[in-house]
Amino acid sequence: MRLLYAALGLLCVGLALVGVALPLLPTVPFLLLASFFFANSSERLHDWILNHRLFGPMIQDWHERGAIRPAAKKAATFSVAAVFGLSIILSAPSHVLIIQAITLGAVMIFIWSRPNG
């Protein structure tokens, strides 16, 4: 089971790295998952991700205070707006737009209601 958790953690780190470059793919949720998987598989990998100069502070902010950094909030807002805008441009059916608006609105409320990291 430890090997599976380690592999899933590495996969999540890979997806987080892709998310750094692609604004529509979230980074922090994958890092939090990676932290969880590493905590259950490898102390060395868990220490590595918690002490990583780029990823560590985001994970620690969440673990300590449930906080999200303002830059991450802005990036998430941009991504959500881009997804919704693309749906409008591609003429998505109105019921899809309504579902997206409700879901993405709830996500934005959650993100912006978190303390700043």
Side-chain angles (χ1 to χ4, degrees):
M1 200 62 172
R2 291 171 59 91
L3 270 174
L4 176 62
Y5 277 170
L8 288 171
L10 292 171
L11 175 66
C12 287
V13 170
L15 290 171
L17 286 171
V18 172
V20 169
L22 296 176
L24 300 180
L25 188 65
T27 301
V28 176
F30 287 120
L31 293 175
L32 295 174
L33 276 173
S35 175
F36 167 80
F37 288 131
F38 290 158
N40 290 293
S41 65
S42 167
E43 188 175 325
R44 185 175 58 88
L45 287 172
H46 191 245
D47 289 343
W48 168 78
I49 200 163
L50 289 179
N51 294 311
H52 191 276
R53 68 173 181 80
L54 180 64
F55 301 145
M58 288 184 271
I59 296 168
Q60 290 171 2
D61 285 345
W62 182 259
H63 283 296
E64 292 169 6
R65 300 182 312 282
I68 301 173
R69 292 179 177 226
K73 290 179 180 184
K74 290 174 187 171
T77 302
F78 172 77
S79 296
V80 164
V83 166
F84 194 72
L86 188 61
S87 295
I88 291 171
I89 290 169
L90 295 175
S91 301
S94 59
H95 69 279
V96 171
L97 292 175
I98 291 168
I99 292 169
Q100 278 187 327
I102 292 168
T103 305
L104 296 175
V107 168
M108 286 292 89
I109 289 168
F110 175 80
I111 288 173
W112 284 97
S113 67
R114 303 296 94 204
N116 287 333

